[in-house]
């Protein structure tokens, strides 16, 4: 079967002006496929017309389909690795819907289906953050990742898919899916090469390859195809040499061979799955000009025909025992014999109608479908097996019959040469930028060169060989027309070292039991400090650490991990960590570590003092800032301490402290210096520069930045018809009112993200957060939804940052033990902290006024609806209450425990009310008018308002 290739040495030299990347659309289908199918359907030709009618009967071709994105896809749940249950069915159903609606749009032109497809893709990209589970999560990465990518590839040129949304979708594929698939391919979960069956690797290669095309990333494309094309030193199930692991001479097979596939002795359900995934992989490659079918002398078709022969009823096939690290499989696996996955038309039409090679067993399996037409998701049952492939190969892959089987394309190959290296392959990663690279297209040995070569990017070049100067990663395609007038294409995919996606990282430090993301870090002398990057987005080639005393001259430290621990910090320094990923792309972070000789404190209200540099304080509160020396030198009476307080760029206070003499004439160090800020009316920031000079002349400096955000308490004035979004500004997610978790806003289900905020005048002017989806549910003091009517615990204080940002801290009531609700970027649920003070405002509360309740849901807590404008004024002297009202109404008086004590009817104007003897101490009055206006009043003997 071995072919040899002829090198043709006519040379072109060029620099290109317009970089050409991947063909789009160019995964399972090209624009030519879509145009051909549309024309055939419109003409009523078969089998296209019937195949299209079958597509239209799919449950997924529905404009009423509602996307069901989740933050975490789980396959392999309820395990020690993932406690949540499986939900991956939501992903494959929505991926199938997006893909099938995209096909209908391309064929029919009906934009409603395009909008539905985009709507689904946007919903998942906005919501989904991770894939989880046991080892089966690796199947979810591969299968559903390539399916989502294919749907997006079909929609990428839809004019009404917003460019920002498409960009977010690509970022989602890279951030959520890529690291999972490449992590599996490179790591295999720590198992031996041949532990996993071929389906696992095939779907992950297909996913990574699809991401490379979707995102125009040559490195990822080459990295993925490496596992299918090459890897001869490994026994990976997806690598072609091991996928079709043994060739059996047999005249019934193509080229005189049957190829026993790696899954054949396992069972036929999985063998058929491997066949379909490999067919989709080959089709995707060929659509880019990278013909995987022809690799290793068309080895894959020998496997296709072997699997299809057995599943179509042939019993006397040659077979050998297959052994992997888990055991030996002695004979053909007959379980699920007859399984027919939706990819046969792709195989049949490529080999019979492009290459002129008969594949009778694949054709027989194709014809075993109803009317010879296959389908896709939604037709093969509701379980995962029915959604492993996007399918519809009859509709999308059927070609007109090849009338003259001598008019077939010439099989091409390629090699590249640069810097003295000759590489017998057309796809290479990490070529030095600016290298001169020679591209050579190869003909089979014995083929007569017609000289008809054409390069996409340089029509003037008609040679099979050319030199280029590689300044950026890109693809090249050369087309060759043979003596029969048939053209074929060879792809060259070249990646430049240092280019490619890096993703993002989070700075990290840990000191004194505290972790954070600051890059300017103050630590006490001789404390332990850990710092570095938290990073998972791409595989890492190298970590490099350096140190500098001035931030300019750097010395290597020889540490090669993402985190570095300094056991004892003794001096100020800069530390720099550089991550280089496998593409040679880099991320870098510099940390400035300052040894602090002072501990900062913030005091307010004259009695309360808190350590740290950031504290939220009530507006109109007097605040003082000070710092206390913590080292022996800084505390020494023989040292000079200089404190300089700065506001903006102006020094507002400067003090030099040394010592004073005690009653016995001994030196006592003057230590603390205090800045009395006074009453704060707005958010302020101050800088303290501390200098210490010892008696010997040694010096130290510490710079502290104090941040004092100011807040107002419980000033929100919601109206009866108002609804609110609760947003996490850090992640952009919104709090959903059906489960109290943060997720991306679903604009098609806006109601599920709206809350009613109800004042609770009987409970200290706090607020309740009521679900607009179900008014019986509200937020509890645990940050979850509840129906319990423990209002004293389930009402909250709202602390609004005094700024234009509408940012809030949400505090628990004293009945709930105090504390605050908090958010976590890695956890969609609310969390509760028991701290008594706060420094962050983690919530944005955004008002959305709705004139009417669209579903007619009535709020059962009518007592909390009110109008904020004052409608009464009053004074109380002993048992006499004098109330002046702008409108007639009813006054109800309650004890602090909520017991109704007294009800009075009041007219407009002056009203004199005698309080009953039970009204001792403080009472709460609720005044309501017939027009729906309400106001609460606090009644205290001898009060005047």
């Amino acid at each position: 079967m071995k072919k040899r290739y002829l090198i043709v040495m006519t040379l072109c030299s060029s620099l290109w002006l317009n970089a050409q990347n991947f063909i789009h659309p160019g995964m399972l289908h090209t624009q030519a496929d879509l145009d051909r199918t549309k024309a055939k359907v419109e003409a009523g030709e078969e089998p296209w017309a019937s195949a299209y009618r079958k597509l239209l009967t799919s449950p997924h071709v529905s404009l009423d389909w509602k996307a069901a994105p989740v933050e975490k896809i789980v396959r392999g749940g309820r395990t020690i690795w993932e406690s949540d249950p499986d939900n991956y069915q939501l992903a494959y159903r929505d991926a199938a819907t997006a893909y099938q609606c995209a096909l209908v749009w391309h064929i029919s032109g009906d934009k409603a289906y395009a909008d539905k497809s985009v709507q689904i893709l946007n919903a998942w990209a906005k919501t989904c953050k991770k894939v989880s589970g046991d080892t089966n999560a690796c199947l979810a990465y591969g299968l559903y990742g390539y399916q989502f990518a294919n749907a997006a590839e079909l929609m990428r040129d839809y004019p009404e898919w917003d460019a920002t949304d498409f960009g977010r979708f690509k970022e989602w594929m890279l951030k959520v899916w890529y690291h999972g698939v490449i992590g599996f391919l490179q790591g295999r979960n720590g198992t031996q090469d041949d532990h996993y069956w071929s389906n696992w690797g095939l779907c992950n290669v297909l996913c990574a390859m699809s991401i490379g095309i979707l995102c125009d990333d040559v490195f990822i494309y080459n990295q993925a195809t490496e596992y299918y094309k090459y890897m001869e030193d490994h026994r990976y199930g997806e690598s072609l040499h091991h996928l079709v692991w043994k060739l059996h001479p047999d005249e019934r097979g193509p080229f005189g061979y049957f190829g026993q596939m790696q899954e054949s002795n396992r069972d036929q359900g999985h063998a058929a799955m491997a066949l379909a995934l490999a067919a989709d992989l080959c089709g995707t490659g060929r659509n880019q000009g990278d013909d995987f079918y022809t690799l290793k002398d068309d080895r894959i078709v020998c496997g296709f025909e072997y699997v299809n022969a057995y599943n179509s009823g042939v019993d006397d096939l040659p077979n050998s025992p297959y052994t992997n690290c888990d055991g030996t499989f002695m004979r053909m696996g007959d379980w699920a014999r007859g399984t027919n996955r939706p990819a046969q038309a792709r195989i049949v039409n490529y080999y019979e109608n492009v290459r002129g090679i008969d594949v009778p067993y694949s054709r027989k399996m194709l014809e075993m479908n109803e009317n010879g037409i296959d389908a896709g998701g939604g037709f093969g049952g509701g379980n995962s097996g029915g959604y492993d492939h996007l399918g519809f190969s009859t509709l999308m892959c059927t070609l007109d019959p090849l009338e003259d089987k001598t008019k077939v394309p010439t099989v091409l190959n390629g090699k590249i040469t640069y810097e003295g290296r000759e590489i017998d392959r057309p796809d290479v990663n990490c070529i030095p930028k600016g290298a001169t690279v020679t591209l050579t297209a190869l003909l089979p040995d014995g083929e007569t060169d017609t000289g008809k070569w054409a390069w996409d990017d340089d029509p003037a070049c008609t040679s099979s060989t050319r030199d280029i100067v590689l300044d950026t990663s890109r693809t090249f395609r050369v087309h060759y027309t043979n003596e029969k007038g048939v053209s074929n294409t060879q792809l060259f995919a070249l990646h430049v070292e240092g280019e490619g996606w890096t993703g993002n990282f989070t700075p990290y430090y840990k000191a004194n039991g505290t972790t954070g993301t600051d890059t300017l870090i103050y630590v006490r002398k001789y404390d332990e400090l850990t710092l570095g990057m938290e990073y998972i987005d791409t595989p890492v080639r190298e970590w490099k650490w350096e140190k500098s005393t001035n931030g300019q001259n750097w010395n290597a430290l020889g540490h090669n991990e993402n985190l570095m621990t300094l056991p004892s910090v003794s001096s100020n320094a800069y530390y720099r960590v550089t991550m280089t990923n496998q593409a040679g792309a880099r991320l870098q972070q510099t940390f400035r570590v300052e040894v602090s000789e002072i501990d900062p404190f913030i005091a307010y209200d004259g009695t309360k003092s808190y350590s740290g540099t950031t504290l939220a304080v009530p507006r109109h509160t007097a605040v003082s800032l000070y710092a206390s020396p913590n080292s022996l030198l800084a505390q020494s009476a023989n040292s000079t301490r200089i404190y300089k307080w700065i506001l903006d760029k102006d020094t507002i206070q400067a003090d030099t402290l040394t010592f004073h003499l005690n009653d016995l004439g001994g030196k006592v160090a003057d230590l603390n210096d205090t800045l009395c800020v006074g009453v704060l009316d707005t958010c302020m920031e101050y800088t303290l520069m501390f200098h210490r000079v010892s008696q010997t002349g040694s010096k130290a400096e510490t710079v502290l930045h104090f941040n004092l955000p100011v807040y107002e308490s419980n000033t929100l004035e919601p109206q009866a018809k108002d609804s609110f979004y609760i947003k996490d500004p850090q992640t952009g997610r919104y709090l959903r009112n059906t489960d109290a978790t943060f997720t991306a806003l679903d604009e098609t289900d806006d109601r599920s993200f709206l809350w009613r905020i109800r004042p609770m005048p009987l409970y200290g002017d706090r607020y309740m957060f009521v679900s607009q989806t179900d008014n019986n549910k509200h937020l509890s003091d645990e940050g979850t939804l509840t129906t319990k009517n423990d209002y004293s615990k389930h009402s909250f204080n709202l602390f609004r940052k005094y700024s234009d940002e509408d940012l809030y801290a949400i505090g628990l009531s004293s009945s709930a033990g105090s504390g605050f609700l908090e958010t976590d970027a890695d956890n969609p649920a609310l969390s509760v902290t028991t701290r008594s003070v706060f420094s962050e405002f983690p919530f944005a509360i955004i008002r959305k006024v709705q004139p009417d309740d669209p579903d007619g849901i009535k709020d059962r807590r009518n007592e909390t609806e009110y109008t904020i404008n004052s409608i009464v004024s009053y004074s109380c002297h002993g048992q006499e209450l004098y109330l002046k009202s702008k409108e007639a109404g009813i006054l109800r008086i309650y004890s602090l425990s909520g017991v109704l004590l007294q009800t009075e009817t009041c007219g407009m104007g002056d009203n004199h009310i005698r309080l009953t003897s039970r009204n001792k101490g403080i009472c709460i009055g609720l005044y309501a008018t017939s027009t729906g206006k309400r106001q609460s009043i606090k009644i205290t003997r001898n009060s005047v308002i």
Side-chain angles (χ1 to χ4, degrees):
M1 291 179 65
K2 188 167 183 63
K3 300 182 180 73
R4 300 183 67 185
Y5 292 88
L6 175 68
I7 303 175
V8 184
M9 293 301 295
T10 305
L11 184 65
C12 292
S13 247
S14 64
L15 288 170
W16 64 92
L17 297 178
N18 298 309
Q20 178 181 335
N21 288 310
F22 290 96
I23 293 171
H24 299 298
M27 292 183 201
L28 291 180
H29 316 302
T30 63
Q31 190 61 49
D33 295 329
L34 297 166
D35 293 343
R36 179 189 63 249
T37 302
K38 179 180 177 67
K40 294 292 188 181
V41 169
E42 290 176 348
E45 295 187 40
E46 296 295 347
W48 298 274
S50 294
Y52 182 60
R53 286 194 294 270
K54 189 169 190 175
L55 169 63
L56 294 179
T57 67
S58 169
H60 296 284
V61 178
S62 170
L63 297 179
D64 295 326
W65 186 272
K66 187 175 181 180
V70 291
E71 186 146 324
K72 177 174 64 178
I73 298 171
V74 179
R75 181 164 180 168
R78 298 294 193 208
T79 61
I80 61 173
W81 295 276
E82 174 54 67
S83 59
D84 288 341
D86 285 350
N87 63 7
Y88 62 95
Q89 301 89 344
L90 301 173
Y92 66 61
R93 289 170 188 156
D94 276 359
T97 304
Y99 168 75
Q100 292 176 28
C101 286
L103 289 183
V104 172
W105 168 60
H106 276 286
I107 296 169
S108 70
D110 189 340
K111 290 175 56 178
Y113 289 97
D115 293 338
K116 176 58 63 176
S117 181
V118 166
Q119 180 189 96
I120 294 168
L121 298 174
N122 282 342
W124 277 91
K126 290 178 181 178
T127 303
C128 183
K129 303 295 186 238
K130 65 186 297 187
V131 179
S132 183
D134 61 12
T135 187
N136 285 284
C138 300
L139 286 173
Y141 273 118
L143 292 171
Y144 317 133
Y146 101 82
Q147 293 170 9
F148 276 121
N150 266 272
E153 180 73 359
L154 290 176
M155 297 308 306
R156 67 182 301 140
D157 292 328
Y158 180 48
E160 295 185 30
W161 192 2
D162 183 78
T164 301
D165 289 338
F166 180 51
R168 177 173 49 236
F169 185 89
K170 291 189 289 185
E171 182 81 9
W172 178 62
M173 292 302 304
L174 288 164
K175 193 163 186 66
V176 173
W177 299 93
Y178 169 66
H179 83 88
V181 298
I182 206 63
F184 170 78
L185 292 171
Q186 294 187 349
R188 311 281 158 162
N189 294 316
T191 64
Q192 297 185 42
D193 283 4
D194 58 2
H195 169 70
Y196 286 99
W197 295 95
S198 63
N199 290 304
W200 295 70
L202 285 168
C203 66
N204 278 279
V205 169
L206 186 53
C207 179
M209 186 178 174
S210 300
I211 292 172
I213 295 170
L214 182 74
C215 300
D216 285 305
D217 193 310
V218 174
F219 177 83
I220 293 177
Y221 178 87
N222 287 348
Q223 186 183 43
T225 60
E226 175 98 9
Y227 285 89
Y228 181 78
K229 291 180 171 184
Y230 310 116
M231 292 293 183
E232 283 83 356
D233 294 335
H234 294 271
R235 283 172 53 85
Y236 296 147
E238 73 276 8
S239 298
L240 181 55
H241 72 280
H242 195 60
L243 175 63
V244 184
W245 74 276
K246 185 168 185 177
L247 293 176
H248 297 281
D250 194 308
E251 290 304 316
R252 294 172 294 178
F255 305 104
Y257 291 89
F258 274 131
Q260 187 173 334
M261 292 187 73
Q262 192 243 16
E263 303 242 20
S264 292
N265 285 18
R266 181 188 184 191
D267 63 63
Q268 296 312 301
H270 288 96
M273 179 181 177
L275 174 148
L277 287 171
D280 283 351
L281 196 64
C282 290
T284 300
R286 182 171 184 270
N287 285 338
Q288 289 297 329
D290 200 2
D291 197 342
F292 288 11
Y293 292 106
T294 66
L295 296 174
K296 300 188 186 301
D297 304 322
D298 286 279
R299 189 181 185 94
I300 191 62
V301 72
C302 301
F304 290 158
E305 282 291 90
Y306 184 81
V307 171
N308 282 330
Y310 186 67
N311 282 292
S312 63
V314 178
D315 293 319
D316 59 338
L317 292 174
N319 183 271
S320 296
Y322 172 74
T323 300
N324 63 14
C325 65
D326 298 315
T328 298
F329 300 80
M330 295 301 297
R331 60 189 61 84
M332 187 80 81
D334 59 2
W335 181 83
R337 187 178 185 184
T339 297
N340 199 1
R341 300 277 182 138
Q344 304 293 355
R346 184 179 295 279
I347 297 168
V348 169
N349 280 276
Y350 171 78
Y351 277 103
E352 293 191 351
N353 295 329
V354 174
R355 296 284 300 284
I357 299 168
D358 289 335
V359 282
Y361 303 109
S362 298
R363 174 163 288 283
K364 185 174 182 180
M365 290 299 292
L366 174 61
E367 292 170 350
M368 288 171 66
N369 289 295
E370 182 181 4
N371 299 319
I373 297 170
D374 67 7
F379 289 86
N383 61 15
S384 60
Y387 288 85
D388 287 339
H389 320 282
L390 292 172
F392 296 98
S393 71
T394 304
L395 175 65
M396 298 307 303
C397 301
T398 300
L399 303 172
D400 289 324
L402 181 64
E403 301 295 342
D404 183 349
K405 291 196 174 184
T406 68
K407 290 186 175 183
V408 297
T410 299
V411 174
L412 302 175
N413 205 336
K415 71 173 186 176
I416 76 164
T417 304
Y418 70 93
E419 295 186 348
R421 300 178 59 194
E422 185 174 296
I423 303 173
D424 290 326
R425 51 195 284 185
D427 39 23
V428 179
N429 278 342
C430 299
I431 299 172
K433 185 179 181 67
T436 297
V437 182
T438 301
L439 313 180
T440 304
L442 305 175
L443 294 173
D445 192 21
E447 177 85 10
T448 300
D449 182 16
T450 64
K452 297 179 180 180
W453 299 91
W455 295 81
D456 279 350
D457 64 301
D458 187 1
C461 182
T462 58
S463 169
S464 62
T465 300
R466 62 185 292 203
D467 285 345
I468 56 97
V469 177
L470 192 65
D471 286 332
T472 188
S473 304
R474 60 155 300 168
T475 63
F476 300 84
R477 288 174 188 82
V478 61
H479 309 280
Y480 172 72
T481 303
N482 61 20
E483 291 178 320
K484 296 290 186 177
V486 181
S487 179
N488 201 8
T489 302
Q490 178 60 54
L491 171 75
F492 292 86
L494 308 180
H495 165 260
V496 168
E497 167 75 12
E499 294 185 353
W501 186 70
T502 58
N504 301 303
F505 69 92
T506 302
Y508 172 89
Y509 82 89
K510 180 179 181 181
N512 292 318
T514 300
T515 62
T517 60
D518 294 338
T519 57
L520 173 58
I521 305 166
Y522 292 97
V523 296
R524 289 185 174 185
K525 197 166 189 177
Y526 305 126
D527 274 1
E528 180 180 278
L529 172 65
T530 299
L531 64 165
M533 283 187 188
E534 292 183 326
Y535 180 77
I536 63 169
D537 285 349
T538 68
V540 175
R541 180 195 297 173
E542 178 189 42
W543 292 98
K544 180 181 179 181
W545 281 89
E546 300 165 288
K547 180 180 178 180
S548 171
T549 57
N550 58 13
Q552 296 177 355
N553 303 314
W554 295 91
N555 297 309
L557 294 176
H559 189 74
N560 60 355
E561 296 180 356
N562 65 313
L563 299 179
M564 181 175 67
T565 297
L566 306 172
S568 178
V569 180
S570 59
S571 61
N572 300 342
Y574 295 85
Y575 294 88
R576 184 167 71 188
V577 57
T578 303
M579 183 284 300
T580 304
N581 69 11
Q582 291 177 354
R586 296 178 178 180
L587 291 172
Q588 191 173 82
Q589 178 62 60
T590 299
F591 296 88
R592 179 181 170 188
V593 177
E594 296 282 347
V595 176
S596 175
E597 294 197 355
I598 54 175
D599 294 328
F601 294 89
I602 301 172
Y604 71 91
D605 271 357
T607 58
K608 302 173 184 176
S609 183
Y610 302 94
S611 64
T613 58
T614 302
L615 183 70
V617 297
R619 193 167 179 236
H620 306 310
T621 299
V623 178
S624 296
L625 312 177
Y626 68 95
S628 179
N630 58 49
S631 71
L632 291 176
L633 280 176
Q635 294 171 349
S636 171
N638 294 318
S639 293
T640 299
R641 288 159 291 278
I642 302 172
Y643 294 84
K644 182 186 292 185
W645 296 91
I646 300 170
L647 177 62
D648 294 327
K649 296 181 179 181
D650 299 323
T651 299
I652 58 175
Q653 180 175 309
D655 297 296
T656 300
L657 304 182
T658 54
F659 65 90
H660 65 272
L661 299 178
N662 62 19
D663 294 340
L664 299 177
K667 289 183 177 181
V668 178
D670 295 322
L671 299 178
N672 300 335
D673 187 61
T674 300
L675 175 68
C676 297
V677 175
V679 175
L680 282 182
D681 286 329
T682 188
C683 303
M684 300 293 289
E685 294 181 357
Y686 298 87
T687 298
L688 170 61
M689 298 185 68
F690 171 81
H691 299 266
R692 185 266 303 159
V693 182
S694 69
Q695 192 175 35
T696 63
S698 68
K699 299 178 181 180
E701 178 181 308
T702 298
V703 179
L704 297 179
H705 299 281
F706 289 85
N707 181 22
L708 300 174
V710 171
Y711 65 83
E712 294 181 313
S713 302
N714 297 335
T715 58
L716 186 66
E717 300 177 354
Q719 303 297 310
K721 293 181 179 180
D722 284 353
S723 296
F724 294 84
Y725 299 106
I726 302 174
K727 181 180 179 181
D728 177 358
Q730 296 300 315
T731 64
R733 299 180 299 185
Y734 289 75
L735 189 66
R736 190 163 49 197
N737 64 37
T738 56
D739 56 6
T741 61
F742 281 96
T743 185
L745 179 65
D746 182 357
E747 296 175 359
T748 65
D749 188 21
D750 186 63
R751 187 176 182 83
S752 295
F753 294 85
L754 291 173
W755 297 81
R756 304 275 182 154
I757 300 181
R758 296 292 181 239
M760 301 297 288
L762 303 184
Y763 298 93
D765 289 327
R766 298 191 296 269
Y767 303 87
M768 285 183 64
F769 294 89
V770 183
S771 166
Q772 187 167 306
T773 300
D774 182 352
N775 277 259
N776 290 310
K777 294 181 179 179
H778 54 269
L779 273 183
S780 74
D781 57 321
E782 296 177 349
T784 58
L785 286 178
T786 184
T787 57
K788 295 181 180 180
N789 295 329
D790 193 350
Y791 300 149
S792 63
K793 287 187 176 180
H794 300 162
S795 53
F796 300 88
N797 293 300
L798 287 183
F799 304 112
R800 180 183 179 273
K801 185 177 182 181
Y802 191 68
S803 69
D804 297 330
E805 300 172 279
D806 278 332
L807 297 178
Y808 289 81
I810 301 177
L812 275 62
S813 69
S814 57
S815 299
S818 298
F820 298 87
L821 297 182
E822 291 192 343
T823 63
D824 184 346
D826 297 323
N827 188 342
L830 288 165
S831 58
V832 178
T833 177
T834 57
R835 291 182 287 105
S836 60
V837 294
F838 65 97
S839 58
E840 302 290 336
F841 296 82
F843 303 95
I845 297 180
I846 304 166
R847 186 190 306 261
K848 178 178 180 178
V849 180
Q850 291 185 324
D852 294 297
D853 191 322
D855 292 341
I857 298 177
K858 294 182 179 179
D859 191 339
R860 300 184 180 183
R861 300 184 179 86
N862 290 326
E863 70 273 12
T864 66
E865 294 186 3
Y866 75 114
T867 298
I868 195 63
N869 294 331
S870 177
I871 52 176
V872 298
S873 59
Y874 67 96
S875 64
C876 184
H877 304 277
Q879 289 184 276
E880 308 300 321
L881 175 66
Y882 299 92
L883 183 145
K884 186 173 184 177
S885 174
K886 296 178 181 178
E887 294 185 28
I890 295 177
L891 174 67
R892 293 182 176 87
I893 302 175
Y894 298 84
S895 69
L896 287 178
S897 61
V899 176
L900 179 64
L901 303 177
Q902 188 172 346
T903 301
E904 299 288 342
T905 300
C906 301
M908 184 174 65
D910 295 328
N911 296 274
H912 176 204
I913 300 169
R914 183 171 180 80
L915 301 177
T916 64
S917 59
R918 291 188 300 165
N919 297 349
K920 296 179 180 179
I922 299 174
C923 302
I924 300 296
L926 183 64
Y927 190 85
T929 70
S930 59
T931 60
K933 297 179 181 177
R934 299 175 186 274
Q935 182 180 340
S936 60
I937 61 176
K938 182 179 179 181
I939 303 172
T940 307
R941 303 294 172 90
N942 298 319
S943 64
V944 179
I945 295 181

